[in-house]
Amino acid sequence: EDSGHIPSLFNLAVCYSKLGKPEDAIVIYRKLLDQNAAIYEARVNVALLLEHTGKRTEAGQEFEKALELRPDDPQAQLNLGMFHLRGDEIDKAYPYLQTAADKGLGTAELYAALSEAERLKKNETKSREFLEKSFQLDPGNVRTLRQLATSYFEEKNYAKAAPLFEQLTKREP
């Protein structure tokens, strides 16, 4: 097929996805990837759709292929790490999350994910450090605010917990 159809196929897949037709979008993304296997965004999008439709094994394969396309991209590392974290595969997730951080990605999402991984590994101190970084980058995130307040409270650091709980009482109905 004509490679000029690639943008149209990509846009059609996005439309199907936005219209709540993930299976149709997956078919179009696969057709697109058959024409050009190196389209990173299509790989990531099909991986997300596969995961959303319960096809975790296939989704994981697509996230891995996306990482192969951009091995030095910290966002590709984060995507695969988050995939494993959503599947409660902490041991698989952590190296990708840490690599994303080591490669300079410093987003609230990454720090929240690292915090969750450390919490599940029972390392509360390290978990809190990552929560603090996440909160600094995204102070409007109520979930992070609640987790950080609770972390300080459980540590019996009431001086740090109280102002955060005060913020929560002003934000929550």
Side-chain angles (χ1 to χ4, degrees):
E1 291 189 28
D2 179 9
S3 65
H5 292 297
I6 287 177
S8 296
L9 285 171
F10 186 90
N11 291 336
L12 178 59
V14 170
C15 287
Y16 283 157
S17 179
K18 298 290 184 188
L19 290 170
K21 299 178 178 181
E23 296 295 342
D24 293 339
I26 290 168
V27 169
I28 299 300
Y29 278 125
R30 288 201 163 136
K31 184 176 182 179
L32 173 62
L33 290 167
D34 286 344
Q35 290 182 33
N36 184 342
I39 302 174
Y40 173 81
E41 292 79 7
R43 282 266 174 237
V44 172
N45 290 354
V46 78
L48 290 167
L49 288 169
L50 287 164
E51 182 182 11
H52 176 72
T53 57
K55 299 175 181 124
R56 278 198 57 81
T57 301
E58 293 175 63
Q61 292 167 348
E62 293 297 337
F63 278 119
E64 288 172 7
K65 288 177 184 175
L67 180 58
E68 289 171 10
L69 290 172
R70 293 190 181 170
D72 295 324
D73 184 350
Q75 184 63 47
Q77 298 282 340
L78 176 62
N79 290 343
L80 188 51
M82 293 299 292
F83 167 75
H84 287 302
L85 194 61
R86 287 188 298 272
D88 293 327
E89 301 168 318
I90 306 308
D91 292 340
K92 288 183 180 179
Y94 197 80
Y96 295 109
L97 298 173
Q98 190 59 57
T99 299
D102 292 346
K103 289 181 180 275
L105 189 65
T107 65
E109 178 187 27
L110 172 60
Y111 291 132
L114 283 166
S115 171
E116 178 67 8
E118 290 293 351
R119 187 187 65 75
L120 292 169
K121 290 166 54 177
K122 308 290 186 216
N123 188 344
E124 295 300 327
T125 302
K126 192 87 168 153
S127 174
R128 189 171 29 264
E129 289 172 12
F130 285 127
L131 269 178
E132 288 168 344
K133 288 181 180 181
S134 179
F135 183 67
Q136 287 172 353
L137 293 170
D138 187 6
N141 186 316
V142 174
R143 182 172 186 248
T144 302
L145 176 60
R146 185 179 301 111
Q147 289 173 328
L148 187 56
T150 302
S151 177
Y152 286 137
F153 182 82
E154 289 172 353
E155 183 191 28
K156 299 188 184 343
N157 189 338
Y158 304 120
K160 285 189 175 182
L164 299 180
F165 281 122
E166 286 172 1
Q167 285 182 47
L168 282 168
T169 61
K170 292 175 186 170
R171 292 184 188 196
E172 295 176 338

